PDB file of all heavy atoms in Angstrom:
ATOM      1  N   VAL A   1      -5.706 -64.555  43.976  1.00 96.00           N
ATOM      2  CA  VAL A   1      -6.354 -63.304  43.803  1.00 96.00           C
ATOM      3  C   VAL A   1      -7.148 -62.808  44.824  1.00 96.00           C
ATOM      4  O   VAL A   1      -8.154 -63.530  45.283  1.00 96.00           O
ATOM      5  CB  VAL A   1      -7.024 -63.132  42.351  1.00 96.00           C
ATOM      6  CG1 VAL A   1      -8.295 -63.923  42.309  1.00 96.00           C
ATOM      7  CG2 VAL A   1      -7.377 -61.733  41.977  1.00 96.00           C
ATOM      8  N   PRO A   2      -6.912 -61.660  45.484  1.00 97.00           N
ATOM      9  CA  PRO A   2      -7.822 -61.141  46.628  1.00 97.00           C
ATOM     10  C   PRO A   2      -9.192 -60.860  46.042  1.00 97.00           C
ATOM     11  O   PRO A   2      -9.451 -60.273  44.971  1.00 97.00           O
ATOM     12  CB  PRO A   2      -7.172 -59.883  46.985  1.00 97.00           C
ATOM     13  CG  PRO A   2      -5.709 -59.932  46.518  1.00 97.00           C
ATOM     14  CD  PRO A   2      -5.777 -60.778  45.318  1.00 97.00           C
ATOM     15  N   ILE A   3     -10.307 -61.381  46.698  1.00 97.00           N
ATOM     16  CA  ILE A   3     -11.690 -61.033  46.469  1.00 97.00           C
ATOM     17  C   ILE A   3     -12.273 -60.487  47.594  1.00 97.00           C
ATOM     18  O   ILE A   3     -12.184 -60.958  48.738  1.00 97.00           O
ATOM     19  CB  ILE A   3     -12.428 -62.347  46.134  1.00 97.00           C
ATOM     20  CG1 ILE A   3     -11.781 -63.063  44.925  1.00 97.00           C
ATOM     21  CG2 ILE A   3     -13.848 -61.876  45.737  1.00 97.00           C
ATOM     22  CD1 ILE A   3     -12.354 -64.351  44.552  1.00 97.00           C
ATOM     23  N   ILE A   4     -12.769 -59.184  47.409  1.00 97.00           N
ATOM     24  CA  ILE A   4     -13.266 -58.341  48.494  1.00 97.00           C
ATOM     25  C   ILE A   4     -14.813 -58.152  48.323  1.00 97.00           C
ATOM     26  O   ILE A   4     -15.266 -57.843  47.261  1.00 97.00           O
ATOM     27  CB  ILE A   4     -12.568 -56.974  48.422  1.00 97.00           C
ATOM     28  CG1 ILE A   4     -11.024 -57.130  48.553  1.00 97.00           C
ATOM     29  CG2 ILE A   4     -13.081 -56.103  49.653  1.00 97.00           C
ATOM     30  CD1 ILE A   4     -10.247 -55.971  48.263  1.00 97.00           C
ATOM     31  N   ALA A   5     -15.473 -58.476  49.449  1.00 96.00           N
ATOM     32  CA  ALA A   5     -16.891 -58.250  49.399  1.00 96.00           C
ATOM     33  C   ALA A   5     -17.279 -56.776  49.638  1.00 96.00           C
ATOM     34  O   ALA A   5     -16.650 -56.124  50.398  1.00 96.00           O
ATOM     35  CB  ALA A   5     -17.512 -59.077  50.619  1.00 96.00           C
ATOM     36  N   MET A   6     -18.222 -56.257  48.856  1.00 94.00           N
ATOM     37  CA  MET A   6     -18.737 -54.940  49.071  1.00 94.00           C
ATOM     38  C   MET A   6     -20.260 -55.102  49.439  1.00 94.00           C
ATOM     39  O   MET A   6     -20.951 -55.600  48.514  1.00 94.00           O
ATOM     40  CB  MET A   6     -18.529 -54.156  47.797  1.00 94.00           C
ATOM     41  CG  MET A   6     -19.015 -52.689  47.885  1.00 94.00           C
ATOM     42  SD  MET A   6     -18.726 -51.769  46.416  1.00 94.00           S
ATOM     43  CE  MET A   6     -19.772 -52.663  45.121  1.00 94.00           C
ATOM     44  N   THR A   7     -20.650 -54.817  50.549  1.00 92.00           N
ATOM     45  CA  THR A   7     -21.915 -55.092  51.014  1.00 92.00           C
ATOM     46  C   THR A   7     -22.563 -54.321  52.132  1.00 92.00           C
ATOM     47  O   THR A   7     -21.731 -53.701  52.909  1.00 92.00           O
ATOM     48  CB  THR A   7     -21.978 -56.605  51.291  1.00 92.00           C
ATOM     49  OG1 THR A   7     -23.273 -56.975  51.802  1.00 92.00           O
ATOM     50  CG2 THR A   7     -20.996 -56.901  52.496  1.00 92.00           C
ATOM     51  N   ALA A   8     -23.783 -54.224  52.209  1.00 92.00           N
ATOM     52  CA  ALA A   8     -24.350 -53.677  53.351  1.00 92.00           C
ATOM     53  C   ALA A   8     -24.614 -54.635  54.539  1.00 92.00           C
ATOM     54  O   ALA A   8     -25.019 -54.372  55.594  1.00 92.00           O
ATOM     55  CB  ALA A   8     -25.823 -53.057  52.985  1.00 92.00           C
ATOM     56  N   ASN A   9     -24.253 -55.939  54.214  1.00 87.00           N
ATOM     57  CA  ASN A   9     -24.336 -56.984  55.300  1.00 87.00           C
ATOM     58  C   ASN A   9     -22.979 -56.905  56.165  1.00 87.00           C
ATOM     59  O   ASN A   9     -21.941 -57.287  55.586  1.00 87.00           O
ATOM     60  CB  ASN A   9     -24.314 -58.228  54.625  1.00 87.00           C
ATOM     61  CG  ASN A   9     -25.451 -58.480  53.644  1.00 87.00           C
ATOM     62  OD1 ASN A   9     -26.466 -57.699  53.629  1.00 87.00           O
ATOM     63  ND2 ASN A   9     -25.490 -59.569  52.873  1.00 87.00           N
ATOM     64  N   VAL A  10     -23.247 -56.348  57.367  1.00 87.00           N
ATOM     65  CA  VAL A  10     -21.997 -55.956  58.056  1.00 87.00           C
ATOM     66  C   VAL A  10     -22.022 -56.744  59.489  1.00 87.00           C
ATOM     67  O   VAL A  10     -21.052 -56.662  60.316  1.00 87.00           O
ATOM     68  CB  VAL A  10     -21.891 -54.419  58.380  1.00 87.00           C
ATOM     69  CG1 VAL A  10     -21.646 -53.797  57.019  1.00 87.00           C
ATOM     70  CG2 VAL A  10     -23.041 -54.018  59.131  1.00 87.00           C
ATOM     71  N   PHE A  11     -22.965 -57.668  59.765  1.00 91.00           N
ATOM     72  CA  PHE A  11     -22.926 -58.348  60.947  1.00 91.00           C
ATOM     73  C   PHE A  11     -21.804 -59.502  60.951  1.00 91.00           C
ATOM     74  O   PHE A  11     -21.258 -59.772  59.911  1.00 91.00           O
ATOM     75  CB  PHE A  11     -24.239 -59.140  61.156  1.00 91.00           C
ATOM     76  CG  PHE A  11     -25.351 -58.059  61.454  1.00 91.00           C
ATOM     77  CD1 PHE A  11     -26.351 -58.008  60.554  1.00 91.00           C
ATOM     78  CD2 PHE A  11     -25.391 -57.421  62.613  1.00 91.00           C
ATOM     79  CE1 PHE A  11     -27.435 -57.123  60.660  1.00 91.00           C
ATOM     80  CE2 PHE A  11     -26.461 -56.538  62.851  1.00 91.00           C
ATOM     81  CZ  PHE A  11     -27.440 -56.361  61.874  1.00 91.00           C
ATOM     82  N   GLU A  12     -21.335 -59.826  62.100  1.00 92.00           N
ATOM     83  CA  GLU A  12     -20.269 -60.687  62.194  1.00 92.00           C
ATOM     84  C   GLU A  12     -20.473 -62.052  61.370  1.00 92.00           C
ATOM     85  O   GLU A  12     -19.546 -62.509  60.760  1.00 92.00           O
ATOM     86  CB  GLU A  12     -20.046 -61.100  63.717  1.00 92.00           C
ATOM     87  CG  GLU A  12     -18.795 -61.941  63.972  1.00 92.00           C
ATOM     88  CD  GLU A  12     -18.443 -62.241  65.442  1.00 92.00           C
ATOM     89  OE1 GLU A  12     -18.896 -61.427  66.264  1.00 92.00           O
ATOM     90  OE2 GLU A  12     -17.893 -63.253  65.741  1.00 92.00           O
ATOM     91  N   ASP A  13     -21.663 -62.479  61.455  1.00 93.00           N
ATOM     92  CA  ASP A  13     -22.013 -63.669  60.669  1.00 93.00           C
ATOM     93  C   ASP A  13     -21.889 -63.464  59.124  1.00 93.00           C
ATOM     94  O   ASP A  13     -21.377 -64.377  58.421  1.00 93.00           O
ATOM     95  CB  ASP A  13     -23.484 -64.166  60.975  1.00 93.00           C
ATOM     96  CG  ASP A  13     -23.725 -64.661  62.331  1.00 93.00           C
ATOM     97  OD1 ASP A  13     -22.638 -65.124  62.933  1.00 93.00           O
ATOM     98  OD2 ASP A  13     -24.764 -64.857  62.703  1.00 93.00           O
ATOM     99  N   ASP A  14     -22.073 -62.236  58.704  1.00 91.00           N
ATOM    100  CA  ASP A  14     -21.977 -61.908  57.292  1.00 91.00           C
ATOM    101  C   ASP A  14     -20.560 -61.941  56.907  1.00 91.00           C
ATOM    102  O   ASP A  14     -20.108 -62.480  55.909  1.00 91.00           O
ATOM    103  CB  ASP A  14     -22.532 -60.557  56.964  1.00 91.00           C
ATOM    104  CG  ASP A  14     -24.091 -60.439  57.295  1.00 91.00           C
ATOM    105  OD1 ASP A  14     -24.777 -61.427  56.995  1.00 91.00           O
ATOM    106  OD2 ASP A  14     -24.476 -59.518  57.848  1.00 91.00           O
ATOM    107  N   VAL A  15     -19.717 -61.419  57.772  1.00 92.00           N
ATOM    108  CA  VAL A  15     -18.223 -61.410  57.506  1.00 92.00           C
ATOM    109  C   VAL A  15     -17.586 -62.800  57.490  1.00 92.00           C
ATOM    110  O   VAL A  15     -16.883 -63.244  56.604  1.00 92.00           O
ATOM    111  CB  VAL A  15     -17.480 -60.485  58.564  1.00 92.00           C
ATOM    112  CG1 VAL A  15     -15.913 -60.508  58.317  1.00 92.00           C
ATOM    113  CG2 VAL A  15     -18.011 -59.001  58.525  1.00 92.00           C
ATOM    114  N   LEU A  16     -18.110 -63.655  58.439  1.00 94.00           N
ATOM    115  CA  LEU A  16     -17.648 -65.003  58.370  1.00 94.00           C
ATOM    116  C   LEU A  16     -18.154 -65.762  57.290  1.00 94.00           C
ATOM    117  O   LEU A  16     -17.349 -66.569  56.687  1.00 94.00           O
ATOM    118  CB  LEU A  16     -18.262 -65.696  59.690  1.00 94.00           C
ATOM    119  CG  LEU A  16     -17.571 -65.291  61.047  1.00 94.00           C
ATOM    120  CD1 LEU A  16     -18.366 -65.902  62.210  1.00 94.00           C
ATOM    121  CD2 LEU A  16     -16.149 -65.571  61.138  1.00 94.00           C
ATOM    122  N   GLU A  17     -19.381 -65.489  56.749  1.00 94.00           N
ATOM    123  CA  GLU A  17     -19.766 -66.181  55.480  1.00 94.00           C
ATOM    124  C   GLU A  17     -18.957 -65.823  54.359  1.00 94.00           C
ATOM    125  O   GLU A  17     -18.605 -66.696  53.522  1.00 94.00           O
ATOM    126  CB  GLU A  17     -21.316 -65.716  55.238  1.00 94.00           C
ATOM    127  CG  GLU A  17     -21.875 -66.403  54.106  1.00 94.00           C
ATOM    128  CD  GLU A  17     -23.218 -66.069  53.692  1.00 94.00           C
ATOM    129  OE1 GLU A  17     -23.718 -65.017  54.249  1.00 94.00           O
ATOM    130  OE2 GLU A  17     -23.958 -66.750  52.859  1.00 94.00           O
ATOM    131  N   THR A  18     -18.518 -64.634  54.254  1.00 94.00           N
ATOM    132  CA  THR A  18     -17.666 -64.214  53.008  1.00 94.00           C
ATOM    133  C   THR A  18     -16.420 -64.897  53.084  1.00 94.00           C
ATOM    134  O   THR A  18     -15.836 -65.352  52.142  1.00 94.00           O
ATOM    135  CB  THR A  18     -17.596 -62.594  53.030  1.00 94.00           C
ATOM    136  OG1 THR A  18     -16.938 -62.056  54.180  1.00 94.00           O
ATOM    137  CG2 THR A  18     -18.863 -61.982  52.602  1.00 94.00           C
ATOM    138  N   LYS A  19     -15.808 -64.935  54.328  1.00 94.00           N
ATOM    139  CA  LYS A  19     -14.438 -65.558  54.644  1.00 94.00           C
ATOM    140  C   LYS A  19     -14.529 -67.003  54.213  1.00 94.00           C
ATOM    141  O   LYS A  19     -13.716 -67.568  53.569  1.00 94.00           O
ATOM    142  CB  LYS A  19     -13.977 -65.313  56.017  1.00 94.00           C
ATOM    143  CG  LYS A  19     -13.399 -64.045  56.165  1.00 94.00           C
ATOM    144  CD  LYS A  19     -12.845 -63.768  57.615  1.00 94.00           C
ATOM    145  CE  LYS A  19     -12.444 -62.299  57.663  1.00 94.00           C
ATOM    146  NZ  LYS A  19     -11.697 -62.082  59.060  1.00 94.00           N
ATOM    147  N   LYS A  20     -15.599 -67.662  54.681  1.00 95.00           N
ATOM    148  CA  LYS A  20     -15.811 -69.126  54.459  1.00 95.00           C
ATOM    149  C   LYS A  20     -15.980 -69.393  52.993  1.00 95.00           C
ATOM    150  O   LYS A  20     -15.534 -70.488  52.525  1.00 95.00           O
ATOM    151  CB  LYS A  20     -17.197 -69.561  55.167  1.00 95.00           C
ATOM    152  CG  LYS A  20     -17.338 -70.997  55.126  1.00 95.00           C
ATOM    153  CD  LYS A  20     -18.631 -71.346  55.924  1.00 95.00           C
ATOM    154  CE  LYS A  20     -18.936 -72.821  55.760  1.00 95.00           C
ATOM    155  NZ  LYS A  20     -20.220 -73.168  56.398  1.00 95.00           N
ATOM    156  N   ALA A  21     -16.582 -68.456  52.220  1.00 95.00           N
ATOM    157  CA  ALA A  21     -16.665 -68.667  50.783  1.00 95.00           C
ATOM    158  C   ALA A  21     -15.277 -68.374  50.077  1.00 95.00           C
ATOM    159  O   ALA A  21     -15.196 -68.761  48.800  1.00 95.00           O
ATOM    160  CB  ALA A  21     -17.763 -67.657  50.144  1.00 95.00           C
ATOM    161  N   GLY A  22     -14.389 -67.858  50.731  1.00 96.00           N
ATOM    162  CA  GLY A  22     -13.048 -67.622  50.145  1.00 96.00           C
ATOM    163  C   GLY A  22     -12.685 -66.230  49.846  1.00 96.00           C
ATOM    164  O   GLY A  22     -11.697 -65.871  49.214  1.00 96.00           O
ATOM    165  N   MET A  23     -13.437 -65.384  50.299  1.00 97.00           N
ATOM    166  CA  MET A  23     -13.152 -63.897  50.225  1.00 97.00           C
ATOM    167  C   MET A  23     -12.068 -63.429  51.043  1.00 97.00           C
ATOM    168  O   MET A  23     -11.895 -64.069  52.197  1.00 97.00           O
ATOM    169  CB  MET A  23     -14.319 -62.986  50.367  1.00 97.00           C
ATOM    170  CG  MET A  23     -15.382 -63.201  49.421  1.00 97.00           C
ATOM    171  SD  MET A  23     -16.766 -62.080  49.533  1.00 97.00           S
ATOM    172  CE  MET A  23     -17.619 -62.323  47.994  1.00 97.00           C
ATOM    173  N   THR A  24     -11.294 -62.523  50.647  1.00 96.00           N
ATOM    174  CA  THR A  24     -10.092 -62.113  51.362  1.00 96.00           C
ATOM    175  C   THR A  24     -10.389 -60.831  52.249  1.00 96.00           C
ATOM    176  O   THR A  24      -9.787 -60.630  53.338  1.00 96.00           O
ATOM    177  CB  THR A  24      -9.027 -61.601  50.411  1.00 96.00           C
ATOM    178  OG1 THR A  24      -8.948 -62.686  49.291  1.00 96.00           O
ATOM    179  CG2 THR A  24      -7.731 -61.480  51.036  1.00 96.00           C
ATOM    180  N   GLY A  25     -11.400 -60.042  51.853  1.00 95.00           N
ATOM    181  CA  GLY A  25     -11.761 -58.844  52.573  1.00 95.00           C
ATOM    182  C   GLY A  25     -13.262 -58.456  52.637  1.00 95.00           C
ATOM    183  O   GLY A  25     -14.065 -59.204  51.852  1.00 95.00           O
ATOM    184  N   HIS A  26     -13.476 -57.442  53.328  1.00 94.00           N
ATOM    185  CA  HIS A  26     -15.099 -57.175  53.516  1.00 94.00           C
ATOM    186  C   HIS A  26     -15.113 -55.537  53.491  1.00 94.00           C
ATOM    187  O   HIS A  26     -14.452 -54.984  54.472  1.00 94.00           O
ATOM    188  CB  HIS A  26     -15.558 -57.803  54.792  1.00 94.00           C
ATOM    189  CG  HIS A  26     -17.060 -57.838  54.857  1.00 94.00           C
ATOM    190  ND1 HIS A  26     -17.649 -58.939  54.625  1.00 94.00           N
ATOM    191  CD2 HIS A  26     -17.960 -56.872  55.254  1.00 94.00           C
ATOM    192  CE1 HIS A  26     -19.021 -58.625  54.735  1.00 94.00           C
ATOM    193  NE2 HIS A  26     -19.081 -57.477  55.150  1.00 94.00           N
ATOM    194  N   LEU A  27     -15.857 -55.014  52.686  1.00 95.00           N
ATOM    195  CA  LEU A  27     -16.093 -53.505  52.749  1.00 95.00           C
ATOM    196  C   LEU A  27     -17.652 -53.295  53.010  1.00 95.00           C
ATOM    197  O   LEU A  27     -18.501 -53.934  52.326  1.00 95.00           O
ATOM    198  CB  LEU A  27     -15.773 -52.892  51.459  1.00 95.00           C
ATOM    199  CG  LEU A  27     -14.272 -52.827  51.042  1.00 95.00           C
ATOM    200  CD1 LEU A  27     -14.059 -52.463  49.658  1.00 95.00           C
ATOM    201  CD2 LEU A  27     -13.595 -51.812  52.020  1.00 95.00           C
ATOM    202  N   SER A  28     -17.981 -52.479  53.870  1.00 93.00           N
ATOM    203  CA  SER A  28     -19.329 -52.160  54.170  1.00 93.00           C
ATOM    204  C   SER A  28     -19.744 -50.903  53.440  1.00 93.00           C
ATOM    205  O   SER A  28     -18.964 -50.016  53.283  1.00 93.00           O
ATOM    206  CB  SER A  28     -19.670 -52.071  55.698  1.00 93.00           C
ATOM    207  OG  SER A  28     -18.899 -50.927  56.188  1.00 93.00           O
ATOM    208  N   LYS A  29     -21.078 -50.934  52.944  1.00 92.00           N
ATOM    209  CA  LYS A  29     -21.636 -49.807  52.291  1.00 92.00           C
ATOM    210  C   LYS A  29     -22.232 -48.868  53.428  1.00 92.00           C
ATOM    211  O   LYS A  29     -22.740 -49.325  54.368  1.00 92.00           O
ATOM    212  CB  LYS A  29     -22.764 -50.196  51.308  1.00 92.00           C
ATOM    213  CG  LYS A  29     -22.138 -50.980  50.178  1.00 92.00           C
ATOM    214  CD  LYS A  29     -23.478 -51.305  49.332  1.00 92.00           C
ATOM    215  CE  LYS A  29     -23.096 -52.230  48.163  1.00 92.00           C
ATOM    216  NZ  LYS A  29     -24.190 -52.542  47.332  1.00 92.00           N
ATOM    217  N   PRO A  30     -22.278 -47.575  53.181  1.00 93.00           N
ATOM    218  CA  PRO A  30     -21.734 -46.792  52.006  1.00 93.00           C
ATOM    219  C   PRO A  30     -20.147 -46.952  52.119  1.00 93.00           C
ATOM    220  O   PRO A  30     -19.579 -46.911  53.148  1.00 93.00           O
ATOM    221  CB  PRO A  30     -22.301 -45.471  52.153  1.00 93.00           C
ATOM    222  CG  PRO A  30     -22.640 -45.363  53.646  1.00 93.00           C
ATOM    223  CD  PRO A  30     -22.956 -46.641  54.228  1.00 93.00           C
ATOM    224  N   ILE A  31     -19.607 -46.976  50.987  1.00 93.00           N
ATOM    225  CA  ILE A  31     -18.183 -47.073  50.815  1.00 93.00           C
ATOM    226  C   ILE A  31     -17.460 -45.831  51.189  1.00 93.00           C
ATOM    227  O   ILE A  31     -17.922 -44.789  50.649  1.00 93.00           O
ATOM    228  CB  ILE A  31     -17.765 -47.521  49.340  1.00 93.00           C
ATOM    229  CG1 ILE A  31     -18.382 -48.830  49.034  1.00 93.00           C
ATOM    230  CG2 ILE A  31     -16.212 -47.516  49.283  1.00 93.00           C
ATOM    231  CD1 ILE A  31     -17.794 -50.019  49.948  1.00 93.00           C
ATOM    232  N   ASP A  32     -16.396 -45.808  52.097  1.00 94.00           N
ATOM    233  CA  ASP A  32     -15.583 -44.666  52.383  1.00 94.00           C
ATOM    234  C   ASP A  32     -14.292 -44.937  51.606  1.00 94.00           C
ATOM    235  O   ASP A  32     -13.693 -46.025  51.661  1.00 94.00           O
ATOM    236  CB  ASP A  32     -15.333 -44.697  53.910  1.00 94.00           C
ATOM    237  CG  ASP A  32     -14.251 -43.599  54.234  1.00 94.00           C
ATOM    238  OD1 ASP A  32     -14.561 -42.494  54.088  1.00 94.00           O
ATOM    239  OD2 ASP A  32     -13.165 -44.129  54.650  1.00 94.00           O
ATOM    240  N   SER A  33     -13.866 -44.065  50.725  1.00 95.00           N
ATOM    241  CA  SER A  33     -12.769 -44.284  49.806  1.00 95.00           C
ATOM    242  C   SER A  33     -11.488 -44.579  50.561  1.00 95.00           C
ATOM    243  O   SER A  33     -10.642 -45.558  50.213  1.00 95.00           O
ATOM    244  CB  SER A  33     -12.609 -43.089  48.909  1.00 95.00           C
ATOM    245  OG  SER A  33     -12.318 -41.919  49.606  1.00 95.00           O
ATOM    246  N   LYS A  34     -11.203 -43.897  51.667  1.00 96.00           N
ATOM    247  CA  LYS A  34      -9.976 -44.185  52.447  1.00 96.00           C
ATOM    248  C   LYS A  34      -9.957 -45.641  52.999  1.00 96.00           C
ATOM    249  O   LYS A  34      -8.973 -46.413  52.903  1.00 96.00           O
ATOM    250  CB  LYS A  34      -9.816 -43.237  53.532  1.00 96.00           C
ATOM    251  CG  LYS A  34      -9.356 -41.814  53.212  1.00 96.00           C
ATOM    252  CD  LYS A  34      -9.126 -40.988  54.328  1.00 96.00           C
ATOM    253  CE  LYS A  34      -8.714 -39.570  53.783  1.00 96.00           C
ATOM    254  NZ  LYS A  34      -8.456 -38.662  55.014  1.00 96.00           N
ATOM    255  N   THR A  35     -11.122 -46.053  53.477  1.00 95.00           N
ATOM    256  CA  THR A  35     -11.240 -47.394  54.013  1.00 95.00           C
ATOM    257  C   THR A  35     -11.160 -48.416  52.806  1.00 95.00           C
ATOM    258  O   THR A  35     -10.452 -49.440  53.092  1.00 95.00           O
ATOM    259  CB  THR A  35     -12.604 -47.596  54.694  1.00 95.00           C
ATOM    260  OG1 THR A  35     -12.725 -46.578  55.740  1.00 95.00           O
ATOM    261  CG2 THR A  35     -12.814 -48.936  55.309  1.00 95.00           C
ATOM    262  N   MET A  36     -11.692 -48.146  51.728  1.00 95.00           N
ATOM    263  CA  MET A  36     -11.665 -48.996  50.531  1.00 95.00           C
ATOM    264  C   MET A  36     -10.200 -49.225  50.127  1.00 95.00           C
ATOM    265  O   MET A  36      -9.792 -50.312  50.013  1.00 95.00           O
ATOM    266  CB  MET A  36     -12.436 -48.433  49.418  1.00 95.00           C
ATOM    267  CG  MET A  36     -12.507 -49.409  48.279  1.00 95.00           C
ATOM    268  SD  MET A  36     -13.461 -48.706  46.812  1.00 95.00           S
ATOM    269  CE  MET A  36     -12.307 -47.347  46.311  1.00 95.00           C
ATOM    270  N   TYR A  37      -9.521 -48.096  49.936  1.00 95.00           N
ATOM    271  CA  TYR A  37      -8.118 -48.244  49.461  1.00 95.00           C
ATOM    272  C   TYR A  37      -7.337 -48.965  50.558  1.00 95.00           C
ATOM    273  O   TYR A  37      -6.427 -49.855  50.086  1.00 95.00           O
ATOM    274  CB  TYR A  37      -7.490 -46.837  49.273  1.00 95.00           C
ATOM    275  CG  TYR A  37      -8.129 -46.145  48.065  1.00 95.00           C
ATOM    276  CD1 TYR A  37      -8.552 -44.796  48.134  1.00 95.00           C
ATOM    277  CD2 TYR A  37      -8.212 -46.791  46.812  1.00 95.00           C
ATOM    278  CE1 TYR A  37      -9.202 -44.223  47.073  1.00 95.00           C
ATOM    279  CE2 TYR A  37      -8.882 -46.138  45.679  1.00 95.00           C
ATOM    280  CZ  TYR A  37      -9.395 -44.954  45.898  1.00 95.00           C
ATOM    281  OH  TYR A  37      -9.919 -44.266  44.838  1.00 95.00           O
ATOM    282  N   LYS A  38      -7.555 -48.652  51.803  1.00 95.00           N
ATOM    283  CA  LYS A  38      -6.732 -49.376  52.837  1.00 95.00           C
ATOM    284  C   LYS A  38      -7.046 -50.928  52.806  1.00 95.00           C
ATOM    285  O   LYS A  38      -6.148 -51.723  52.908  1.00 95.00           O
ATOM    286  CB  LYS A  38      -7.197 -48.877  54.189  1.00 95.00           C
ATOM    287  CG  LYS A  38      -6.293 -49.258  55.413  1.00 95.00           C
ATOM    288  CD  LYS A  38      -6.858 -48.387  56.535  1.00 95.00           C
ATOM    289  CE  LYS A  38      -5.993 -48.699  57.801  1.00 95.00           C
ATOM    290  NZ  LYS A  38      -6.515 -47.852  59.008  1.00 95.00           N
TER     291      LYS A  38
END
């Protein structure tokens, strides 16, 4: 099941941490609906 992070943490290290934890994607806040759906 895809697990997507939604966070204000947008540095490269933050993205790597979410991937290392098993997350499939990363969304940065504030959320843009087009980006989210994509």
Side-chain angles (χ1 to χ4, degrees):
V1 64
I3 303 175
I4 303 167
M6 178 180 64
T7 180
N9 304 347
V10 295
F11 294 110
E12 187 176 333
D13 289 345
D14 299 317
V15 176
L16 290 174
E17 182 182 15
T18 59
K19 286 185 180 184
K20 186 177 176 182
M23 291 186 171
T24 316
H26 196 100
L27 290 168
S28 61
K29 292 179 184 178
I31 300 295
D32 171 70
S33 61
K34 285 184 183 180
T35 303
M36 180 183 69
Y37 293 129
K38 192 175 182 178

